[in-house]
Amino acid sequence: MADQKQLVTFQLGEELYGINIMDVKEIVRVQGIRAIPNAPVYVEGIFNLRSEIIPIINLHKRFHLKKILNSEEDELLSGFIILDIDGMKLGVIIDRVSRVVTIEKEDVQPPPQMLTGIGAEYIQGVVRQEKGYLIILDIRDLFNPKELQKISELRR
């Protein structure tokens, strides 16, 4: 098992991304997000999940990605992935949840220097697939400590 990783995969724009399943708390359907004044531009707002206030991050805005037009079926698969980053819960908006996959660590290659949209510093690696690549995100590197502090303060 040490040579394998389980990833929750999802579509964001044109690309397929994966996040370590151990960092994912749950996946929820898009619901009412309350906007917050003076929040960073990529913070969509806050969301009440069973009496817990969760900041919602828009990775499209964070990384200047184009949002794809979803079909009705895709709309049913869009939502938020609730992450736990060192005890802090936050949600990221996804275009479409895909599935949980198991990958072999030896199949993970270092990220190419120029991947569309998201910089290599946020990427743990890529796995070649039949249709392109699966990009593995390192959620701990998506936000620097100052940003996480700012996001954390939005919950108050």
Side-chain angles (χ1 to χ4, degrees), residues 16-75:
L16 185 65
Y17 294 93
I19 295 177
N20 187 329
I21 197 166
M22 299 308 289
D23 294 324
V24 175
K25 284 286 158 218
E26 62 187 293
I27 300 169
V28 295
R29 298 265 330 245
V30 171
Q31 299 171 32
I33 301 174
R34 215 174 86 224
I36 301 186
N38 303 321
V41 71
Y42 56 84
V43 176
E44 206 63 26
I46 54 174
F47 166 67
N48 187 334
L49 180 66
R50 295 185 291 280
S51 300
E52 191 171 3
I53 303 301
I54 310 241
I56 300 295
I57 307 300
N58 186 326
L59 292 179
H60 295 92
K61 290 179 181 176
R62 174 86 166 112
F63 299 115
H64 310 290
L65 298 172
K66 283 193 173 97
K67 190 160 172 43
I68 54 172
L69 291 174
N70 282 342
S71 66
E72 265 184 55
E73 179 190 334
D74 289 341
E75 283 298 321

Side-chain angles (χ1 to χ4, degrees), residues 86-141:
D86 303 324
M88 182 182 140
K89 285 187 186 162
L90 57 86
V92 293
I93 298 172
I94 58 168
D95 288 337
R96 182 174 203 261
V97 68
S98 190
R99 58 197 175 114
V100 173
V101 297
T102 302
I103 57 162
E104 301 293 328
K105 284 192 178 169
E106 67 206 33
D107 293 340
V108 178
Q109 301 168 6
Q113 285 311 98
M114 286 306 294
L115 275 173
T116 55
I118 294 184
E121 66 269 24
Y122 308 116
I123 298 171
Q124 273 183 347
V126 295
V127 178
R128 185 183 292 268
Q129 297 196 307
E130 294 160 24
K131 298 177 186 171
Y133 287 95
L134 167 62
I135 301 167
I136 304 168
L137 293 178
D138 186 341
I139 64 161
R140 282 164 183 73
D141 287 341

